[in-house]
Amino acid sequence: MKLHEYQSKKLFAEYGVPIPKGEIATTPAEAKAIAEELGGRVVVKSQVLVGGRGKAGGIKLANSPSEAEALAEHILGLEIKGLPVRKVLIDEAADIQKEIYLGITNDRAAKKPVFMASAAGGVDIEEVAAKTPEKIIRIHIDPLLGLQDFQVLNLAVGIEIPREQWGQFNKVAHGLWQSYKNFDATLAEINPLIITGDGQLIAVDGKMIVDDNALFRHKDLESQRDLDVEESSETEAKDHDLTYIKLDGQIGCMVNGAGLAMATMDIINYFGGEPANFLDIGGGANEEKVAAALRIILKDPNVKAVLFNIFGGITRGDLVAKGILAALKEVKPDVPMVVRLVGTNAEEGRALLADADMITAETLADAAEKAVAAAKGDM
Ligand code: GDP
Ligand code: MN
């Protein structure tokens, strides 16, 4: 789950990271009122869950409340990288002398979180990472020990934070780490952390991605989920307790078990196709779940064939078959469907499906080959 800038910054602030004063507006009039309240210059910032808003025209400085109103009207009418802007953050404008990049993410290879920092922060950080990666320094954090002061000092020296700001930097670095750790984040980022003309460190941008698998520990965050902008099929899947990830291929996959789902995707690749999704209907999948899963798969216009690969262990083949039949009645697919059903009550399941208009397969290879052919219109 991605958090908006304003949500991330509020969270960072709870851990002691200084952020600008600001409020959220959904209308130009609200934006004006907030700007009046703040007094002086403000920055009007689109709240959409993509990076590079500045370059896309979604961040603008306003010199007066009426200018803030006009800019808010303009920005609230924008679409940034395909996402409509529904909210703007009105922040006190900052006097920026220097822009620093700070980010924590998981380094899977090192099996540890990694703290990244660069003196070349700001809107061009991707270019810095690509062309001059040596300008980004990295320090791994031992998850048991946590971020250590000597490590923060190494970071501060590495990105040439003036000595007078080391105390402030220490607070920001620990605040970012605490946010990352306590919210089970996979990314916590401040870009830029600025140094102002009078030597203050302020986080003017913030970004957090919280691991969806840990959301049950953060019920308060779940209510902040922005349903507008999440892939709606993934949201629907979540509501049905299905693990679904949308991909770009043509073959919809309905599989029980994550390992089997991955193997199915691999073998589809092997036969020259591309999976349209990862989907694990889980053990003990019932009729309702199967129907929901099929509905979700068929919503994707790229899907040209569906492959059911069910290994009945806990999941009973006859129940899955009933689920498929119920779903077929409801969604009436117009793409070919290949089914491979083995294991517990597979016989009964196959008998139930005998009259449905489906291509049957014995082995996984057979099923994948048939699904690839069917998606190409060769069956
Ligand atoms: P992003 O483009 O989505 O990363 O959005 P940011 O919030 O990082 O804003 C982009 C850029 O706008 C920053 O790198 C700053 O250069 C500039 N910016 C953001 N807030 C302020 C501000 O309060 N004052 C000034 N002068 N510039 C700002
Ligand atoms: Mn930014």
Side-chain angles (χ1 to χ4, degrees):
M1 171 185 168
K2 291 180 181 170
L3 295 187
H4 280 292
E5 174 196 358
Y6 76 96
Q7 295 166 330
S8 309
K9 287 201 299 200
K10 218 179 270 170
L11 227 149
F12 296 160
E14 283 172 27
Y15 289 96
V17 176
I19 61 168
K21 259 193 218 141
E23 293 286 343
I24 281 290
T26 52
T27 64
E30 273 172 31
K32 187 181 185 192
I34 295 164
E36 273 163 359
E37 185 81 12
L38 292 172
R41 296 200 320 158
V42 294
V43 53
V44 182
K45 312 187 75 177
S46 55
Q47 298 297 291
V48 281
L49 296 173
V50 289
R53 295 163 304 158
K55 285 189 174 170
I59 311 262
K60 298 271 187 213
L61 272 168
N63 289 307
S64 67
S66 52
E67 201 181 327
E69 184 181 22
L71 285 171
E73 170 143 29
H74 170 69
I75 291 175
L76 284 166
L78 290 179
E79 240 186 41
I80 298 180
K81 298 182 186 172
L83 297 174
V85 181
R86 302 244 154 81
K87 294 179 208 141
V88 286
L89 173 64
I90 312 297
D91 262 359
E92 220 166 43
D95 163 28
I96 301 181
Q97 294 292 309
K98 195 172 164 55
E99 301 197 14
I100 292 161
Y101 172 89
L102 295 183
I104 306 177
T105 188
N106 282 329
D107 181 343
R108 285 171 181 262
K111 299 180 190 160
K112 279 178 187 162
V114 57
F115 202 132
M116 296 168 294
S118 178
V123 295
D124 292 322
I125 192 68
E126 273 86 13
E127 209 180 309
V128 174
K131 293 196 180 142
T132 46
E134 69 279 3
K135 286 189 182 165
I136 300 176
I137 58 172
R138 292 176 168 76
I139 285 185
H140 287 96
I141 303 172
D142 185 303
L144 286 177
L145 299 176
L147 181 66
Q148 304 288 301
D149 281 346
F150 78 88
Q151 296 183 304
V152 178
L153 196 57
N154 278 340
L155 288 170
V157 171
I159 60 172
E160 292 167 10
I161 303 263
R163 187 176 259 282
E164 304 80 66
Q165 272 85 37
W166 283 2
Q168 288 186 64
F169 182 74
N170 189 276
K171 211 168 161 193
V172 170
H174 280 289
L176 189 63
W177 164 245
Q178 289 298 324
S179 312
Y180 178 87
K181 184 176 68 112
N182 294 349
F183 281 89
D184 298 305
T186 55
L187 176 75
E189 184 182 89
I190 300 175
N191 184 34
L193 172 73
I194 61 157
I195 304 184
T196 64
D198 54 2
Q200 298 305 305
L201 262 55
I202 303 175
V204 303
D205 189 13
K207 184 173 175 183
M208 282 259 281
I209 303 176
V210 175
D211 188 342
D212 285 340
N213 295 309
L215 276 182
F216 73 97
R217 298 209 283 213
H218 308 288
K219 293 282 184 238
D220 45 328
L221 280 187
E222 206 154 11
S223 66
Q224 296 192 35
R225 207 157 99 188
D226 191 339
L227 297 176
D228 274 356
V229 295
E230 279 186 33
E231 186 74 52
S232 70
S233 48
E234 290 185 8
T235 313
E236 191 180 343
K238 215 174 278 171
D239 292 340
H240 290 280
D241 244 346
L242 298 163
T243 309
Y244 170 91
I245 313 282
K246 189 182 164 343
L247 302 167
D248 297 328
Q250 328 77 28
I251 298 172
C253 302
M254 163 118 62
V255 189
N256 65 325
L260 189 58
M262 286 190 271
T264 306
M265 290 161 64
D266 282 348
I267 203 155
I268 286 173
N269 277 144
Y270 178 80
F271 285 106
E274 293 285 340
N277 63 277
F278 170 94
L279 191 148
D280 172 13
I281 59 172
N286 55 23
E287 247 178 77
E288 185 268 333
K289 263 189 167 181
V290 177
L294 188 58
R295 228 182 300 123
I296 292 166
I297 289 176
L298 291 171
K299 239 188 227 170
D300 176 355
N302 293 337
V303 168
K304 299 287 180 277
V306 180
L307 170 55
F308 295 79
N309 185 18
I310 306 295
F311 188 90
I314 301 169
T315 311
R316 285 168 42 196
D318 55 330
L319 283 190
V320 174
K322 277 184 195 155
I324 294 172
L325 290 175
L328 292 184
K329 254 188 238 155
E330 190 191 325
V331 286
K332 306 204 183 355
D334 51 7
V335 296
M337 288 177 294
V338 179
V339 60
R340 175 201 179 223
L341 202 56
V342 288
T344 312
N345 290 7
E347 287 295 313
E348 290 87 335
R350 271 188 231 123
L352 281 166
L353 291 176
D355 294 333
D357 188 15
M358 299 181 95
I359 303 161
T360 53
E362 290 295 318
T363 64
L364 176 49
D366 183 31
E369 198 169 7
K370 282 176 172 163
V372 172
K376 289 181 180 153
D378 295 344
M379 295 257 331

